Every structure is written in structure tokens, then in C-alpha cells.
Amino acid sequence: MKQAETNHLNVLPEAMRESVRLVERTRKYRLAQSLRGETFPSLSISDRKAWLADFHPDQRADGKRYLLVGPNEGNQVPVELADLLESRPRIALTELMEDPSITAKADIVTDILIIGGGGAGTTAAIAAAKAGSKVFIATKLRHGDSNTIMAEGGMQVADQECDSPVQHYLDILGGGHFTNNAELVEALVTDGASALRWLEDLGMLFDKYPTGRMKVRHGGGTSRKRLHAAGDVTGLEMMRVIRDKAESIENITVSDFTPAVELLTDDDGRAVGAVLERINGGKPLIVHAKSVIIATGGMGRLHLNKFPTSNHYGATADGLVMAYRAGVPLRDLHSCQYHPTGSAYPQRKVGLLITEKFRGLGASFLNKFGDEFIFGLEARDVTTAAIIRECQMMNNGVQTPYGSVGVWLDIPLIDLIHGRGTIEKEFPGRFKEFISKGIDIRKLPLLAYPTLHYQNGGMVIGTNGGTDMPGLFAAGEVTGGVHGHNRLMGNALLEILVFGLRAGQSAAEFAQSTTLSSSPGLSHLSAFVEQLEQKNCNPELNGPQLLPVY
Ligand code: MEZ
């Protein structure tokens, strides 16, 4: 082969180069197959079940423990989460727990307190303000810093002629292995088209054909093309318009760098505000509110099972911890999503998301011999199990010089299938990210291995976002039920809109039907600490954790 034709390989160590040459050799067969409209065969149902049971990280016997106290006592959950749910309150809380006169005095009074300034929280704020409420958003980092902005490949909405909300509903239930809350799924798919229109009206720039028609793609486990994207920065673009809208509304105040660390409840067992810590130091802030919405996102930064993560730095399960101590039940916490394609090379990019949209446009999975081993658009949990099996059991993974392993995602195939320039146009974010490390994804496959991506379970909610606790609502990744034990791509961005809007509206209705409480306090927290003591739990951790420990 001529020098110029192989230069793109020089960025890789020799051992990996050899494997890429095999990928390049098999590429023409896969191209021909794709042009004939053929795909690698899907797995049989029995293989799916067996591979999930044997290789999915959720099924590992280690890494979990039983909860000893609280509404989910007796449930097995990941150790890292269990330790936080049963942690001690943060130091700053001690004085407040002992002296109720402190929590009785408010620094901030509002109709609705929203904890979390990502996609779900900000959407809820817009809905609540529209319904006439005064809203205060307390966010841990800056407004918008969240998993929403990390979402790349798109949002599922059944708005095409060949599709329907029913079809979408069936895909979600199947993808979740029928463990979903069907009413929540129905709400999600029913509101899909109006949520999409809402975003368009806010000015979101979706990918479109010159005729103005939306481009739609396949995601894993979907029976129809219904992924609507903005390049490979869909969440970032979504957050741009939602944040701009919220910041233009007078009734919404946003407080950056002030994470909530505990809910305030009253003598009637109602959620009536929260204690906020100031990241930059200083006295905690006491917020009194008529209703509260938790929208704190997920827990990827707990690095369950020691996996890398695609998540934002703020994803430390804070909302789950606060809700749990206040007695709100959680569900499906044993179930997490390990996205099949986290980056596995170079080392500085390990865990970074390589969007599923690459597979939606034809990129295939290959082992170290350049052989395809799984259909690229199986549901996520199955694909993840297949990659781990290929590396661990078959020993067919590609070794990196850092001792890690991965499989190839053959991205250059996309330009061959769809025409030159497609990769740069459809994936501007990832193209720039990797070219900065000398890796040209138009020419080189990327090495991938599963990365911790999403918390499938969370707070139990109803279709209006309400919880068991009066005055407490929740939306987004902090909740459970919509996706059951496995979320399909693109349904998280839809969820934050649909349930953000619903929770915002419902919290506003609740706030309008009530008055501020006269007894905001932390008695639920003292009771929780007492339960820990009764069970001889002696936690070392203080929670919520707020930031990852590295
Ligand atoms: O919904 C997701 O998790 C998503 C859009 C991820 C991706 O692969 O891009």
C-alpha cells in the first residue's frame, strides 16, 4: 500500500494498526452488503436473554448490597448508591437539624422551588411560570450544566406518516423488557409531537432536508425511523433554546452554584422548600416554597462497577438521596444503562460518548479481526452485553497500550454509504473532538467499549410528575418507570420535555391551591438518622455528594 494511503494509521500504536488494516480489508464487503439493503442478522431471543444474563454489568453478583433503612429497605442496589442513600447528612446540616428556628426563617420565598437547572428543571420552570407561578431554580453548577447538554444523537418522536405513538409505545415497552410503567409510557408518546413543536417554536435547529422536512434516523431497538437530531449536539442545542426562553421570563430566578442538600418538610409531611449549600462557601440558604420539583438528573459520576462514564460532572445522585431521606420510594435502582459505545482510545477520551447515531447511519461493530459480530442497532443493553462478551469470553477485543480493550466502530463506512462529507456534516462535534487528537474519523474506525450512561430507575412518579409526598414533584433522569430496565436512545430528551412540562404545570396548580407552610423543618432527616442508628449503620460518607471524587 502507498505511504499516503496509510498515513492516517500512524496516530495509532503498531498493534492497533494491524487490526485496523483488517477492518479496512473487510470494509468493501460490508459496503456491498449495506448497498444491497442487508444487515448483520439480529440475535435470537434466547441468545439475547442468555447474553444479557451472562454479560450485562447489571447482572454482576458483586457490586450491589441491600438497603437497610428507608422506603426501599431490602432492595438490592449498587453499593456506591446504597452508601450515599444511607449516608450521614452533610456537615452544614448539623446545626440546622438541632435548631428549628434556623429553617423557620427564609432567605428566599417562592411559589415553586426547582432543584436542578438542566433540561427537565428548566422546562418545568417555563411551564410553571406560564401557569402564573413565581419560580426559583437552584442549580449546582451553571444554568444548563447537565446531562442534557451531553446528549448527542437525537430525540424520538413518532411524527412521520409511517409511524404512530402506538408504534413508539410498543418499542419502548419491548426495549424495557415490559418492566416499564405503561401509563408513563403512554404519556410520553402521546405528548411527543407537541413537545417537538414546542422546541421548534422556541427556535431549535433540527436537521432538515432542503424542502424543510425533518431528517429522521433509526435508533437501536426502534421499528421506525423517528430520531430527530441537531447534528451530534442535539442536547446542547435543545438546552440553548430552553435556557434562553427561561432567562427571558421575569418570574423565573436562577441561582447558580447553590445545590440543594436537603428538602424541607413540614408537620403535615409536605415538601415545603430546601436547604441550599453555596459551592463557593458561606452560610446555607433556606428556601421556602409552596411546591418543589426535583430535577437533578442521574448518577453516572458514581462510576458504578468502576466503569467510565459519559455523564456530566454533576451527575452524583443528589436528588435520589434527598428524596429517599424524606421517605419517597425509588424504583429499579439496580438497573443502569451502559451505553455500548464509550470511547476506549485514546486514553484521555475514555468514557466519552460516541453517539448511537453513527450506527443509525450504518457504522458497524467489528472485532480485532475486522469481523462483524453484532447487529449495530440491537437495543442498548443487548449491544453492551455483546461487546463485553466479544472482549471477555471470545477474547476478540482490541488491546490498547493502557491495558484496556475495545471493539471497532467502523465510522468511515458512513461516507462510503451516504457520500463524502456526511461524517463531517452529521457529526461535527465528534469530528472536531477526535481530530484534535490526530484521529480522523472519516478515515479511522473508533475503538469503543461500554460507558456508564443513564440511570434507568429513580423516584416513583405519576403521570403528572407527582410523588407520594404532597407538594413534591419530579421530572427527568431522577425518576423511574418510563424506561423500565432499559431505555432506548432518544427517549431521555423527550422525557425531560414531556415530564418537565407536566411537572411544571402540576406544581403550579398545587402551589396555587395552598399557602406557605408555617413549620418548615428537617424532622424527616432527624428521623432518618435515628433509623440508621437503630440499624447500627455507621456511615462514613456524608451525602449528597455534590461532586465526584477523583
Ligand atoms: O438518548 C441517548 O442516550 C442518546 C441520544 C445517546 C446517543 O447515543 O447519542
Side-chain angles (χ1 to χ4, degrees):
M1 213 177 272
K2 284 195 224 100
Q3 189 62 37
E5 286 173 22
T6 57
N7 272 351
H8 62 285
L9 296 179
N10 291 346
V11 65
L12 299 175
E14 180 50 38
M16 291 173 73
R17 264 183 247 168
E18 195 42 50
S19 178
V20 173
R21 287 190 192 102
L22 297 176
V23 169
E24 290 176 344
R25 229 172 275 161
T26 56
R27 193 173 283 147
K28 55 178 177 292
Y29 300 110
R30 283 177 283 111
L31 175 62
Q33 196 184 35
S34 169
L35 296 179
R36 287 197 301 272
E38 293 167 12
T39 58
F40 193 78
S42 318
L43 278 185
S44 66
I45 292 180
S46 59
D47 277 349
R48 266 183 210 166
K49 282 192 177 149
W51 292 20
L52 280 173
D54 292 344
F55 297 101
H56 194 278
D58 277 352
Q59 305 302 329
R60 283 167 58 157
D62 57 343
K64 294 200 195 82
R65 76 162 171 86
Y66 291 101
L67 288 169
L68 302 170
V69 295
N72 290 77
E73 182 181 331
N75 286 181
Q76 248 197 337
V77 307
V79 173
E80 298 83 346
L81 178 64
D83 289 351
L84 273 179
L85 292 178
E86 294 179 341
S87 59
R88 296 196 168 284
R90 290 176 70 83
I91 307 289
L93 268 290
T94 321
E95 195 192 342
L96 275 59
M97 281 162 71
E98 279 160 14
D99 183 356
S101 72
I102 306 181
T103 48
K105 249 189 284 144
D107 296 296
I108 294 137
V109 176
T110 183
D111 291 330
I112 302 179
L113 167 65
I114 301 186
I115 303 176
T122 309
T123 301
I126 297 169
K130 189 170 171 219
S133 290
K134 192 171 151 201
V135 181
F136 186 88
I137 301 180
T139 186
K140 179 160 59 180
L141 299 168
R142 297 161 308 175
H143 189 191
D145 287 344
S146 60
N147 274 346
T148 300
I149 62 168
M150 313 293 277
E152 295 177 13
M155 173 171 104
Q156 285 204 48
V157 176
D159 66 335
Q160 305 292 299
E161 295 86 358
C162 61
D163 200 359
S164 69
V166 173
Q167 207 69 40
H168 190 184
Y169 174 87
L170 294 173
D171 285 351
I172 294 175
L173 289 181
H177 307 286
F178 306 98
T179 55
N180 325 53
N181 172 332
E183 285 179 2
L184 296 181
V185 181
E186 186 183 343
L188 184 81
V189 300
T190 307
D191 291 3
S194 61
L196 183 72
R197 264 197 315 277
W198 185 72
L199 280 180
E200 276 239 276
D201 290 347
L202 290 184
M204 179 159 170
L205 300 171
F206 283 101
D207 295 348
K208 290 186 174 168
Y209 294 104
T211 57
R213 191 183 166 89
M214 287 260 190
K215 285 187 180 171
V216 282
R217 315 274 185 210
H218 262 306
T222 60
S223 62
R224 297 287 188 277
K225 289 184 180 174
R226 66 170 79 91
L227 264 180
H228 299 68
D232 60 352
V233 287
T234 311
L236 190 63
E237 169 63 2
M238 185 184 282
M239 194 71 231
R240 175 184 73 83
V241 296
I242 298 172
R243 182 174 43 203
D244 279 359
K245 176 69 185 174
E247 292 194 351
S248 74
I249 299 176
E250 215 175 300
N251 254 353
I252 300 178
T253 304
V254 182
S255 173
D256 288 343
F257 300 115
T258 48
V261 288
E262 221 59 66
L263 290 175
L264 291 175
T265 55
D266 73 359
D267 297 344
D268 298 328
R270 186 178 127 197
V272 293
V275 180
L276 314 184
E277 220 169 275
R278 303 180 212 230
I279 288 267
N280 296 327
K283 264 178 46 187
L285 292 167
I286 306 296
V287 186
H288 289 179
K290 295 178 188 163
S291 59
V292 178
I293 302 176
I294 296 188
T296 47
M299 61 172 168
R301 286 280 158 186
L302 302 188
H303 292 283
L304 308 183
N305 290 308
K306 305 211 168 17
F307 267 75
T309 184
S310 60
N311 278 198
H312 195 269
Y313 279 96
T316 50
D318 306 349
L320 296 182
V321 176
M322 286 183 270
Y324 195 67
R325 286 168 170 174
V328 178
L330 310 175
R331 58 169 286 173
D332 299 329
L333 287 174
H334 59 286
S335 168
C336 277
Q337 178 157 87
Y338 295 79
H339 192 294
T341 50
S343 167
Y345 184 88
Q347 190 68 359
R348 286 193 58 183
K349 305 276 179 218
V350 167
L352 186 87
L353 184 64
I354 307 174
T355 173
E356 192 167 314
K357 184 178 171 191
F358 281 114
R359 286 175 275 141
L361 272 96
S364 43
F365 280 121
L366 309 166
N367 61 22
K368 66 180 174 192
F369 303 114
D371 292 333
E372 207 165 353
F373 61 92
I374 182 79
F375 170 52
L377 289 173
E378 293 281 359
R380 275 194 183 157
D381 52 354
V382 175
T383 316
T384 285
I387 293 171
I388 296 176
R389 176 182 180 274
E390 193 68 12
C391 294
Q392 287 180 2
M393 187 176 106
M394 309 303 283
N395 203 18
N396 283 342
V398 180
Q399 296 291 334
T400 73
Y402 309 103
S404 54
V405 69
V407 296
W408 294 117
L409 183 66
D410 194 15
I411 293 173
L413 188 60
I414 293 175
D415 269 6
L416 299 178
I417 299 172
H418 299 279
R420 258 171 91 163
T422 307
I423 294 172
E424 256 185 281
K425 188 153 167 247
E426 296 279 346
F427 305 96
R430 290 305 86 156
F431 176 71
K432 288 203 187 94
E433 185 88 47
F434 282 94
I435 206 83
S436 70
K437 288 275 159 286
I439 294 177
D440 185 343
I441 60 172
R442 294 168 305 182
K443 298 183 181 153
L444 277 177
L446 281 181
L447 198 69
Y449 195 77
T451 184
L452 183 56
H453 184 59
Y454 192 80
Q455 160 195 306
N456 290 322
M459 293 168 65
V460 175
I461 56 160
T463 51
N464 70 347
T467 69
D468 269 8
M469 174 173 264
L472 184 64
F473 299 79
E477 191 173 348
V478 74
T479 68
V482 178
H483 313 291
H485 293 175
N486 178 54
R487 179 174 67 80
L488 298 181
M489 173 197 189
N491 284 330
L493 287 183
L494 181 59
E495 177 188 15
I496 60 176
L497 295 182
V498 167
F499 289 98
L501 291 169
R502 283 175 175 242
Q505 171 75 32
S506 315
E509 283 163 14
F510 187 94
Q512 279 148 22
S513 71
T514 191
T515 51
L516 285 166
S517 170
S518 56
S519 56
L522 289 165
S523 54
H524 66 278
L525 191 58
S526 310
F528 189 80
V529 171
E530 217 173 287
Q531 280 183 57
L532 286 173
E533 281 161 8
Q534 273 163 14
K535 290 276 164 85
N536 289 327
C537 291
N538 202 2
E540 284 169 18
L541 281 181
N542 291 96
Q545 184 177 308
L546 302 186
L547 290 170
V549 184
Y550 291 120

